[in-house]
Amino acid sequence: QVQLVESGGGLVQPGGSLRLSCAASGFTFSNFGMSWYRQAPGKERELVASISSAGRTTNYVDSVKGRFTISRDNVKRTVYLQMNSLKPEDTAVYYCKVYYGMDYWGKGTLVTVSS
């Protein structure tokens, strides 16, 4: 079955960096685009970044452009989110998602940006 497992979250000071990872199994990873979403306390889940199956096309929400980079390693079956210049408003639970007949989500990893 499809499984997505996020890791790499934690507490970081404003201006700091984190790299999130999402390890995938249960489907042919290299055939599917992947996405990162986040949900801040009291807010709806929002799309942060997406990447095409081969990694050639990426898209970002305006609020993270120039600070976050999505990438993937199809051999390791892993998608990454490099987050730089973090701000308190980036605090959220971050989820990866794949559409494989339906949406599959990981359980998320918490990112807290605070001094």
Side-chain angles (χ1 to χ4, degrees), residues 77-114:
R77 304 172 59 86
T78 301
V79 60
Y80 304 97
L81 187 67
Q82 178 67 44
M83 306 187 295
N84 299 329
S85 303
L86 282 161
K87 304 175 180 180
E89 52 263 43
D90 296 317
T91 294
V93 178
Y94 284 72
Y95 302 89
C96 64
K97 191 207 82 170
V98 64
Y99 181 79
Y100 183 66
M102 57 176 280
D103 285 338
Y104 287 88
W105 299 87
K107 293 183 178 180
T109 186
L110 176 63
V111 172
T112 303
V113 185
S114 175

Side-chain angles (χ1 to χ4, degrees), residues 17-28:
S17 298
L18 282 175
R19 189 176 82 153
L20 306 183
S21 300
C22 172
S25 61
F27 63 102
T28 306

Side-chain angles (χ1 to χ4, degrees), residues 38-56:
R38 67 185 178 187
Q39 187 164 19
K43 295 189 176 181
E44 294 188 353
R45 194 171 296 190
E46 68 167 347
L47 175 63
V48 175
S50 61
I51 188 167
S52 61
S53 57
R56 294 190 182 97

Side-chain angles (χ1 to χ4, degrees), residues 1-65:
Q1 69 278 23
V2 174
Q3 285 193 320
L4 300 171
V5 180
E6 301 95 338
S7 62
L11 173 63
V12 62
Q13 291 187 342
S17 298
L18 282 175
R19 189 176 82 153
L20 306 183
S21 300
C22 172
S25 61
F27 63 102
T28 306
F29 182 77
S30 58
N31 287 354
F32 291 86
M34 299 292 297
S35 302
W36 282 98
Y37 284 71
R38 67 185 178 187
Q39 187 164 19
K43 295 189 176 181
E44 294 188 353
R45 194 171 296 190
E46 68 167 347
L47 175 63
V48 175
S50 61
I51 188 167
S52 61
S53 57
R56 294 190 182 97
T57 302
T58 58
N59 290 285
Y60 300 90
V61 67
D62 285 348
S63 59
V64 308
K65 284 181 180 176

